[in-house]
Amino acid sequence: MRRTTSWWWPGAVVLGLSLATLARPAAGQEDQAAPADPPPPRGLTPGHPLASRAALVDSARRIAAAGDTLRAAAIRTRLADGDFQPGERIWMRVDSEPALSDTFTVTTAGTVALPSPVNHEIPLRGVLRSELQSYLAQQLSQYLRSPAVRARALVRVSVQGGVVRPGYYAVPADALVADALMAAGGTLPTSKPGKMRLERGGDRLLDGKALAQAVAQGRTLDDLNVQDGDQLVVPKEGAGMGDNLRFLWVVVSITGGIVGLTKVFGH
C-alpha cells in the first residue's frame, strides 16, 4: 500500500503538467496575438541582390505599358517614399564604433536615431533598401572619418499555418521567400505550399501559382516588396503526422515519467 501511494502522487503531477501542455492553443492560434519584439536574426548570411532604383523605374515603365496602371503607380510611390516604414529594423555594423553596431528601429518620423558619436536622426525618406548601406556611409562620413559601414534592412514577417514554428521573424529583406519559411523551421508534411499566400492587413498580395513561381525563381522578400508585418500563410490539412507524433511524444513522456518516479519514490 505504501509503495502504491509513493509513486502515484509524483506520477499524477507529471500527468497533470503534460495534460496542461496538451490544453495549450494549437500552433498558430496563440501566435495570432500581438507579438513581442522578435529576437535578432541568428547570423546574417550574405544576401541576394536588392531591387535597384534603375530596375524599379524600368519595371514601372514596362508594367504601365502593359496596362497595369495600379502596380505601376505602387512602384512609383515606392520610389518616392522609399522602403522604410516606422517600426522596421536596420542592422548596422560600423568598424571601431560599438555604439553604432546594433539593430536600430525606424522612428515614427521615418528616421533612424543614432547614438554618440553621431547623436543625430538620419532621415530615410526616399531611400530604398538597396541604397541603405551606401546612404548611411555617406551620412556617417559627416561625423566620422572614412567610416566602414555594413547595413541591412530587416523585415518582421509573420509566418503562419503549416510550418514547424509559426510566429514572427526578423528576416533580412534580401533573403529569399524560402528563407522566411526556413526561419520558421520549414513546412510540415501536411502543408500545401502550392496554396501559400502573402497578405497585408488581411488583403492578399500574392498567392497560389504566382507565389509558388516566385519561390521557385528564387525571388527575395524585397523583390515582392514585403513590408514589416506582412504575413506568409501556408495552408495545411487537418491533424496530420506531425500532430500525431507530438501527441505520441507526450504519452511516452507521461509513461516514462511515471515509471521513472516509481523507481525513485517506490523504495
Side-chain angles (χ1 to χ4, degrees):
M1 183 67 181
R2 182 172 174 267
R3 172 186 295 270
T4 302
T5 304
S6 63
W7 69 258
W8 182 87
W9 185 84
V13 172
V14 175
L15 178 61
L17 291 175
S18 301
L19 291 176
T21 301
L22 283 175
R24 294 178 60 195
Q29 293 178 349
E30 59 186 0
D31 294 304
Q32 299 299 329
D37 286 346
R42 300 178 182 176
L44 292 172
T45 56
H48 301 268
L50 294 164
S52 67
R53 185 169 295 273
L56 288 174
V57 169
D58 181 65
S59 180
R61 178 186 57 78
R62 288 186 292 100
I63 290 173
D68 193 343
T69 56
L70 289 178
R71 284 184 60 198
I75 294 175
R76 294 192 182 102
T77 299
R78 179 183 179 184
L79 288 167
D81 295 345
D83 284 330
F84 296 95
Q85 305 297 320
E88 293 190 2
R89 291 162 177 77
I90 294 173
W91 176 91
M92 185 168 71
R93 292 293 181 271
V94 182
D95 289 356
S96 302
E97 295 292 344
L100 298 177
S101 299
D102 204 342
T103 300
F104 299 93
T105 302
V106 179
T107 68
T108 55
T111 66
V112 56
L114 299 180
S116 178
V118 175
N119 285 325
H120 191 73
E121 291 192 11
I122 307 297
L124 294 173
R125 177 175 170 77
V127 179
L128 298 176
R129 292 165 180 153
S130 60
E131 301 167 337
L132 177 65
Q133 180 166 296
S134 59
Y135 173 77
L136 288 177
Q138 179 187 25
Q139 292 293 312
L140 292 184
S141 65
Q142 302 177 38
Y143 308 92
L144 305 171
R145 179 176 296 179
S146 303
V149 180
R150 290 172 292 157
R152 293 173 75 177
L154 304 179
V155 182
R156 191 181 64 162
V157 182
S158 171
V159 186
Q160 301 294 338
V163 292
V164 176
R165 296 184 299 274
Y168 287 77
Y169 296 89
V171 184
D174 53 359
L176 302 177
V177 176
D179 292 336
L181 298 177
M182 290 308 299
T187 57
L188 296 173
T190 56
S191 68
K192 300 178 179 179
K195 296 185 177 180
M196 181 170 58
R197 60 187 184 270
L198 175 64
E199 298 180 347
R200 179 177 301 155
D203 296 330
R204 294 193 182 191
L205 302 179
L206 202 61
D207 60 7
K209 184 177 180 181
L211 185 52
Q213 186 176 17
V215 174
Q217 292 174 345
R219 302 283 295 278
T220 66
L221 301 179
D222 184 71
D223 286 337
L224 303 181
N225 194 25
V226 173
Q227 297 179 10
D228 211 52
D230 286 357
Q231 185 167 334
L232 274 172
V233 181
V234 186
K236 63 175 180 178
E237 299 173 359
M241 182 64 71
D243 298 317
N244 293 335
L245 287 177
R246 279 192 291 273
F247 177 77
L248 179 61
W249 180 88
V250 172
V251 172
V252 171
S253 298
I254 295 171
T255 305
I258 293 175
V259 171
L261 289 172
T262 299
K263 292 180 178 179
V264 172
F265 292 97
H267 297 286

